[in-house]
Amino acid sequence: MCMLLEYCVQTLEDDFTARCASSSLSHSIAKATLSCDRQFSRVRDVIKWLFCVIIKTTENEDSKEGIQKKDNQIRIVSIFQRMLSLALEADRSPALNSAKLSQELFHMVLSHMPLRAHR
């Protein structure tokens, strides 16, 4: 799963970089799939997945297998963070989108993160 997510994010980032260079950002894959203006429900899904992985990361035991799972889950958290970063940059107003995204993140932390370790 981690490799698939890495491939997807790398494809999104490569397309985004190419579209930025050619000034056709409005036709990028990131804009079509992770736009805070047009596809915020998908951005919310990424946030939910991010928090689910964070909860799993804090629940692993300290055995060798548990540490490997934890490392893999931390990589997945990083991938979801990269997706959210792309969601901000995909639109023309990253400042407005960052406020929208931070409000959603804050709401999720307050409503779904009961333990300090999760927050």
Side-chain angles (χ1 to χ4, degrees), residues 51 55 59 108-119:
F51 281 111
I55 290 171
E59 292 173 352
M108 288 292 288
V109 167
L110 289 179
S111 63
H112 293 34
M113 297 286 130
L115 300 177
R116 182 181 180 138
H118 298 154
R119 290 188 299 270

Side-chain angles (χ1 to χ4, degrees), residues 77-88:
V77 166
S78 174
I79 292 168
F80 288 143
Q81 289 173 334
R82 286 170 50 197
M83 283 182 170
L84 293 175
S85 177
L86 273 173
L88 289 178

Side-chain angles (χ1 to χ4, degrees), residues 56-57 59-75:
K56 287 181 183 179
T57 301
E59 292 173 352
N60 282 335
E61 66 275 356
D62 288 335
S63 67
K64 186 175 182 176
E65 185 178 298
I67 291 172
Q68 288 175 342
K69 281 183 180 181
K70 192 173 196 173
D71 288 344
N72 194 36
Q73 289 165 340
I74 289 171
R75 286 177 57 201

Side-chain angles (χ1 to χ4, degrees), residues 96-111:
L96 293 174
N97 291 335
S98 65
K100 190 176 183 179
L101 185 62
S102 65
Q103 183 178 12
E104 186 67 25
L105 286 167
F106 185 70
H107 173 71
M108 288 292 288
V109 167
L110 289 179
S111 63

Side-chain angles (χ1 to χ4, degrees), residues 3 13 16 31 33 37 42 45-47 59 66 108 112 119:
M3 289 176 63
E13 288 176 339
F16 183 79
K31 174 83 173 180
T33 58
D37 289 337
R42 291 183 183 165
D45 289 340
V46 172
I47 292 170
E59 292 173 352
M108 288 292 288
H112 293 34
R119 290 188 299 270

Side-chain angles (χ1 to χ4, degrees), residues 16 19-20 23-32 38 90 92:
F16 183 79
R19 299 290 180 164
C20 280
S23 298
S24 61
L25 189 57
S26 62
H27 300 294
S28 72
I29 300 169
K31 174 83 173 180
R38 295 182 184 169
R92 294 181 186 208

